């Protein structure tokens, strides 16, 4: 992500970019709705699966991240080598003054 001070961020169309996975997100976001279905004796598994697929389609794609600028471009897998080479050419000769750090880990 850009917050990690990376220069180029690329993603494949199949990338899943989110704070948490779909099962956990559905439980947090729709927990009360699912509990109500259980109490009414409904098919909670079918609704849970539907909500997971809906969450994946809406949130676990790289396109919202690209729209927000967290990913520079969404590329096809066969473009990976060319895009990495392009990124390296862009960074060739680049100098970055950074403060000395005790270690090289990015902020996590």
């Amino acid at each position: 992500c850009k917050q990690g001070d990376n220069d180029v961020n690329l993603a494949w169309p199949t990338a899943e970019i989110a704070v948490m996975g779909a099962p956990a997100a559905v439980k947090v976001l729709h927990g009360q709705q699912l509990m109500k279905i259980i109490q009414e004796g409904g098919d909670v598994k079918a609704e849970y699966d539907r909500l997971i697929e809906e969450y994946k389609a809406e949130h676990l794609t790289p396109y919202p991240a690209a729209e927000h600028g967290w990913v520079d471009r969404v590329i096809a897998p066969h473009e990976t080598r060319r895009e990495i080479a392009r990124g390296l050419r862009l960074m060739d000769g680049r100098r970055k003054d950074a403060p000395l750090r005790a270690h090289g880990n990015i902020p996590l």
Side-chain angles (χ1 to χ4, degrees):
C1 66
K2 294 291 184 183
Q3 293 83 356
D5 201 28
N6 298 315
D7 295 310
V8 178
N9 295 304
L10 305 170
W12 288 347
T14 55
E16 291 186 355
I17 301 172
V19 175
M20 66 176 64
V26 166
K27 288 177 184 175
V28 169
L29 297 172
H30 301 286
Q32 291 180 345
Q33 176 185 345
L34 295 171
M35 287 302 294
K36 185 176 178 182
I37 293 170
I38 291 171
Q39 292 168 351
E40 294 172 352
D43 188 358
V44 72
K45 175 78 170 119
E47 181 64 8
Y48 179 68
D49 290 343
R50 185 190 71 75
L51 290 169
I52 285 177
E53 291 308 312
E54 183 179 287
Y55 184 86
K56 284 180 179 180
E58 190 172 332
H59 299 288
L60 287 187
T61 70
Y63 300 105
E67 288 174 9
H68 287 93
W70 303 326
V71 171
D72 295 319
R73 289 183 5 127
V74 178
I75 62 168
H78 72 272
E79 298 173 324
T80 303
R81 184 183 302 254
R82 181 180 68 223
E83 291 299 323
I84 290 174
R86 182 178 162 270
L88 290 172
R89 280 193 304 275
L90 286 172
M91 299 301 119
D92 187 31
R94 180 172 179 256
R95 299 189 67 70
K96 184 173 182 182
D97 295 326
L100 294 175
R101 297 181 179 171
H103 52 77
N105 289 341
I106 61 171
L108 302 174

